[in-house]
Structure formats: structure tokens, C-alpha cells
Amino acid sequence: MTNERYETSKIVMVRYGELFLKSEPVKRHFIRILTDNIHRALRAEGIDHHIETPRGRILIHGSEMNRMVSSVARVFGVIDAGICDQTTNNPELLIPAAATRAKNALSHGQSFAVRVKRQLKTGPSSQELAALIGAEIQKVIPGVSVNLTHPDYELIVEIRESGGFICDYRIAGPGGLPLTTQGTVLCLLSSGIDSPVAAWLMMKRGCSLEALFVDGGRWSGSDVFSTAVENLRRLSTWCPGHPIRMQVISSERLFDAMKEQSELPKVCCVICKRFMIRAASALAERTGALALVTGENLGQVASQTLPNLATISSAATIPIIRPLITYDKQEIINLAKTIGTYSGQQGDLACRAVPLRPATNAALSDIQALEMHLNIPALVAGSLKESRSVIAMNGRIEDNGKSVRL
Ligand code: ATP
Ligand code: MG
């Protein structure tokens, strides 16, 4: 071993996933967007940083390593992020640096594995280097053994042109594709558990988000609007630096008109959803959103049977994406808890317009006749004309939650 001293510095290494499947120009474009989203996430938290993008990785310099890792691990497109010791790629200096890192975490009686990945194809092979580092670890930490399948401790070493990177802990990111790479969708966002999860899944897949909330006024519970705004606020923590606008329209007159007819019809919920879908389609046409998103889920309630979903879909002029269609409710709740949109308290969220026996197989012709009578196009146009909007960014509602009339 040489007596030359080795310098190590800390750096955050970010790995991204599926982008590897893309052609070179598309990959470069996506990495630029991913890097921009990482900048936005760090800036939103006031973290000073500097980013490098060597082949296949994003490296972040700065002084607040832990805060940087937690922030970056919420950026869509990121597979994982870890704090690395950056040192030289000269094996004589890298090997003791790797053993020093292991010494801080590994102790007598434990097993370990060393995984080496080389971008630089000179010097010892990955296996040779792993064996050399393993031997050095066993020399400096007595009583430790190698276990390559289920080690207590894993040391990952990457050899790149710019140096050696040593890491033993990575926080998983959400994966998916960088936000804004896939165009804009309009999510029908409610006060419920499902629609924020559906919206999050679309953001994870690279879509920018717009939202529509339909306010039932006195036909809905007193906490419905504030809970929908809270859902919006929580979603905005996932796209720092990108505002989300939620349009708010009223469906109060629709319910008033249905009530005038007689008792609320059995098909009330399907008509209500078709009203929402019509309004959302018109709004998407204005804003350029390419698809609608709902939290609908097969068989969850009467309006979500296959025949009723088909009837609801026929009111749309653009595709409806239903990311949760096959999920069990518990799976949705678990995901809502993981992403932070689940709030234990429920409040008064009841819809006062649900009929006693809602139709599970509403005939489209009956619905269309009733809709004609109700003059749905006029009701939709009227509610869109009076729409307001609420904007959320970085986990905050702009204007102290006051909605703004457009
Ligand atoms: P939960 O999450 O408890 O099921 P929900 O709001 O999803 O509540 P559903 O009747 O299942 O209630 O609604 C199905 C879908 O319709 C929602 O996931 C959402 O996309 C949309 N939706 C329902 N109510 C509204 C609303 N008031 N404004 C906008 N979209 C709504
Ligand atoms: Mg639902």
C-alpha cells in the first residue's frame, strides 16, 4: 500500500431507472428535465447545491447531505439516492477508503458483501476489486464474514472516470418518469382517499397535473371543500416548484334540478359523474390537458360497475384514465398513507344526494332522456362560467386558501 494520503468528500449520488430504455436524444432530454426537477426540489427547501450529470448518474454537491437525500428521494424518476464518499479511483487508495467506510458501520460477528460496479474499464476487474476490498475489511474489522446473498451490511463501490464512489445506504425514490415529460392530465380531485392516489400515480408516470373539484354546495358535507383543498396541498409536496391549479365548479344547481323532478332518481350518481366528466372535458379542451383522471375503482360503489363506468365514459370527449381500477381499497389506503395523502380524520364528507338504491346498471337511454330534460349542457356551461381556482405549490395553498374567481 502506498503512503499517499487519500482525500474523501461527501456527495449525493442519484440513480434513475427506466430512462436507460430510451434512445440517446430522448434520454438526454429526460435527464435534463429530471435534473431541473431536482433543482426545484432543493431550491424549494432552500438547500444550496451544485449538480453534475456524468454518464448514468446525477451527482449533487452541497453541505446538507441528509436533507438533500430526503428531498431528492421524493422526485419522480429517481430510483434511489445515497450519500457517497467520493475518493480517487486508484485502487491502492480506494481500498483503504472503502474499508474505513465499512468500519463505521460493521462490527464483530456481522456478515458483509462488497459490490463493485465499474464504468472505468482499466485496472482490476470488478470481482478482483471486490475481493481486495473484502480482504481489507476483514483485516481492519476482526470477526466479520463474507455473505454475498443475505449480508448484514452491503458496501457498494462505483469506479468512474471522476473517482471512486463508496456507499452503504440508499433511500429508495418513487421511480417512474420525470414530471412534465408526459404532458398534462386533468384529475377529478375530491375529498376522498382515492382520487389523490390516482393523481399521484399519474404524476409518478411523468404527467403534469391540473385538478377539478366539483362542489355540491349544500348537497355535500361541510368539510368536503376544505378536505379537497388539503388533498391538493399534499399532492403539491410531490412536485416542488410546479404549481397545481384546481378549478372549482358547483354542481348545486344540478342537484336542485334533479330534486325538482321528483325524488332524486336512482341514476343520480351516474348523472352526477357524467356532469363532472362533461365539465372536465370542456375544461381540458381549454387548458390543453390530454386526458382525464379519476379515482374510480371497479365495483367500489354502484356508479363504478362496468356498465355504469361505460355510461360515465361516454360523456367524455377525451380519454379517461382510471389508475386505481383494479386496486383493493386497502391497497389504495396503504399507498395513500405511504405518499402522505391519507388523513385519519374524516369530518363531514357525506354526499346528501345519494339515492337509497342507486342503479348499478343504468340504461343510457333513460339517462339521456333525463339529461335532456335537465338541460345538462346549460348547467355545465353555467357552472364553468362561475368557476374559481385554488393554486397549491410546495405544500402551500396560495392566497391563504382563498379561491380566486377567474
Ligand atoms: P373515496 O375516495 O372515499 O372513494 P371519492 O371521492 O373517490 O371518495 P367516489 O364516489 O368513489 O368518491 O368518486 C369516484 C371518482 O369521481 C373520484 O375518485 C374522483 O375522481 C371523482 N369525484 C368524486 N367526487 C368528486 C368531486 N366532488 N369533485 C371532483 N371529482 C370527484
Ligand atoms: Mg372512490
Side-chain angles (χ1 to χ4, degrees), residues 317-333:
T317 57
I318 57 173
I320 304 179
I321 301 176
R322 299 178 165 104
L324 303 179
I325 197 73
T326 61
Y327 282 47
D328 289 350
K329 189 72 187 187
Q330 195 55 49
E331 290 174 310
I332 300 172
I333 291 174

Side-chain angles (χ1 to χ4, degrees), residues 122-163:
T122 55
S125 71
S126 301
Q127 284 89 341
E128 284 164 355
L129 196 54
L132 289 167
I133 295 171
E136 182 71 9
I137 289 175
Q138 286 184 300
K139 201 167 97 192
V140 299
I141 316 167
V144 292
S145 59
V146 174
N147 179 341
L148 295 182
T149 40
H150 298 293
D152 296 317
Y153 174 80
E154 196 173 42
L155 190 72
I156 299 148
V157 178
E158 282 197 22
I159 313 294
R160 308 179 70 83
E161 235 158 68
S162 55

Side-chain angles (χ1 to χ4, degrees), residues 187-196 198 212-216 224 228 251 272-273 276 293-297 300-301 303-304 324 329 332 346:
C187 180
L188 285 98
L189 188 65
S190 70
S191 56
I193 297 164
D194 304 334
S195 49
L212 170 66
F213 171 69
V214 182
D215 188 348
V224 167
S251 58
C272 166
K273 291 291 168 358
M276 292 184 187
V293 177
T294 75
E296 285 164 321
N297 171 246
Q300 191 184 82
V301 287
S303 60
Q304 293 168 33
L324 303 179
K329 189 72 187 187
I332 300 172
Q346 282 292 299

Side-chain angles (χ1 to χ4, degrees), residues 113-124:
V114 178
R115 321 264 187 222
V116 175
K117 205 173 153 94
R118 278 188 326 151
Q119 189 216 6
L120 192 65
K121 297 294 178 199
T122 55

Side-chain angles (χ1 to χ4, degrees), residues 72-357:
V72 167
R74 287 170 61 88
V75 174
F76 297 116
V78 169
I79 290 293
D80 59 32
I83 302 172
C84 296
D85 291 326
Q86 181 178 10
T87 182
T88 165
N89 54 27
N90 173 351
E92 292 206 6
L93 305 171
L94 176 83
I95 292 167
T100 303
R101 172 89 177 217
K103 211 173 168 186
N104 294 331
L106 184 62
S107 51
H108 190 279
Q110 287 187 308
S111 63
F112 72 97
V114 178
R115 321 264 187 222
V116 175
K117 205 173 153 94
R118 278 188 326 151
Q119 189 216 6
L120 192 65
K121 297 294 178 199
T122 55
S125 71
S126 301
Q127 284 89 341
E128 284 164 355
L129 196 54
L132 289 167
I133 295 171
E136 182 71 9
I137 289 175
Q138 286 184 300
K139 201 167 97 192
V140 299
I141 316 167
V144 292
S145 59
V146 174
N147 179 341
L148 295 182
T149 40
H150 298 293
D152 296 317
Y153 174 80
E154 196 173 42
L155 190 72
I156 299 148
V157 178
E158 282 197 22
I159 313 294
R160 308 179 70 83
E161 235 158 68
S162 55
F165 296 84
I166 305 161
C167 185
D168 54 12
Y169 181 64
R170 284 169 170 165
I171 300 185
L177 295 173
L179 192 92
T180 78
T181 58
Q182 301 303 309
T184 302
V185 291
L186 173 60
C187 180
L188 285 98
L189 188 65
S190 70
S191 56
I193 297 164
D194 304 334
S195 49
V197 176
W200 184 87
L201 286 169
M202 294 308 292
M203 291 205 284
K204 173 173 183 260
R205 211 53 213 159
C207 291
S208 305
L209 195 69
E210 289 170 357
L212 170 66
F213 171 69
V214 182
D215 188 348
R218 63 201 153 69
W219 292 93
S220 63
S222 54
D223 298 315
V224 167
F225 175 68
S226 59
T227 310
V229 171
E230 177 59 9
N231 281 341
L232 177 75
R233 188 194 70 72
R234 292 179 186 211
L235 279 173
S236 76
T237 64
W238 284 97
C239 51
H242 295 276
I244 313 177
R245 177 186 290 268
M246 181 170 83
Q247 293 294 134
V248 181
I249 64 166
S250 169
S251 58
E252 201 172 41
R253 283 194 203 118
L254 169 73
F255 292 119
D256 292 345
M258 281 198 276
K259 184 73 184 177
E260 259 172 31
Q261 302 291 305
S262 58
E263 279 308 292
L264 280 166
K266 278 180 163 190
V267 292
C268 175
C269 300
V270 177
I271 290 186
C272 166
K273 291 291 168 358
R274 279 168 59 89
F275 171 89
M276 292 184 187
I277 292 295
R278 276 175 210 260
S281 297
L283 202 60
E285 236 163 74
R286 280 192 216 160
T287 65
L290 295 173
L292 307 181
V293 177
T294 75
E296 285 164 321
N297 171 246
L298 190 56
Q300 191 184 82
V301 287
S303 60
Q304 293 168 33
T305 60
L306 267 188
N308 281 350
L309 287 173
T311 304
I312 292 167
S313 293
S314 67
T317 57
I318 57 173
I320 304 179
I321 301 176
R322 299 178 165 104
L324 303 179
I325 197 73
T326 61
Y327 282 47
D328 289 350
K329 189 72 187 187
Q330 195 55 49
E331 290 174 310
I332 300 172
I333 291 174
N334 292 347
L335 188 48
K337 285 180 178 166
T338 306
I339 65 176
T341 56
Y342 183 84
S343 94
Q345 327 117 339
Q346 282 292 299
D348 175 15
L349 304 180
C351 174
R352 320 246 190 267
V354 180
L356 206 55
R357 282 199 177 71

